[in-house]
């Protein structure tokens, strides 16, 4: 169950990271409310997962899911660069997250 909590926490990290873009510096009410809600859910799920997953592993995987998800959505939604060096670096993050799960 801890790994499910960690996955959900990571997915909600992506939601709040992308939500920050839509808040326009916290000047838009509903995007700000949604972003704060996603933050709360993400942190709560992370805290639940860390009851049994080591902190280093859990935090690294949480931030990895968030970084890869935010980068991917940045490319899809906002036209961020999809150059091969950038995609290679994103792939390295994915490899690191998988490696932590395998050895953890």
């Amino acid at each position: 169950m801890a790994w499910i909590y960690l996955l959900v926490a990571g997915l909600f990290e992506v939601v709040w990271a992308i939500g920050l873009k839509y808040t326009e510096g916290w000047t838009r009410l509903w995007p700000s409310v949604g972003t704060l809600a996603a933050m709360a859910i993400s942190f709560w799920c992370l805290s639940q997962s860390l009851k049994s997953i080591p902190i280093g592993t859990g935090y690294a995987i949480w931030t990895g899911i968030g970084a890869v998800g935010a980068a991917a959505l940045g490319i899809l939604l906002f036209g961020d660069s999809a150059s091969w060096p950038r995609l290679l670096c994103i792939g390295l993050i994915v490899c690191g997250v998988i490696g932590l799960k395998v050895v953890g």
Side-chain angles (χ1 to χ4, degrees), residues 36-58:
L36 288 170
M39 286 177 173
I41 294 167
S42 180
F43 284 116
W44 184 83
C45 288
L46 177 63
S47 72
Q48 296 306 300
S49 74
L50 294 178
K51 290 179 180 179
S52 60
I53 296 173
I55 182 72
T57 301

Side-chain angles (χ1 to χ4, degrees), residues 59-99:
Y59 185 74
I61 291 174
W62 179 67
T63 57
I65 293 169
V68 170
L73 286 177
I75 291 167
L76 294 172
L77 298 175
F78 307 117
D80 292 352
S81 171
S83 66
W84 74 264
R86 191 159 190 252
L87 294 175
L88 176 66
C89 291
I90 292 169
L92 290 171
I93 294 170
V94 171
C95 289
V97 167
I98 291 169

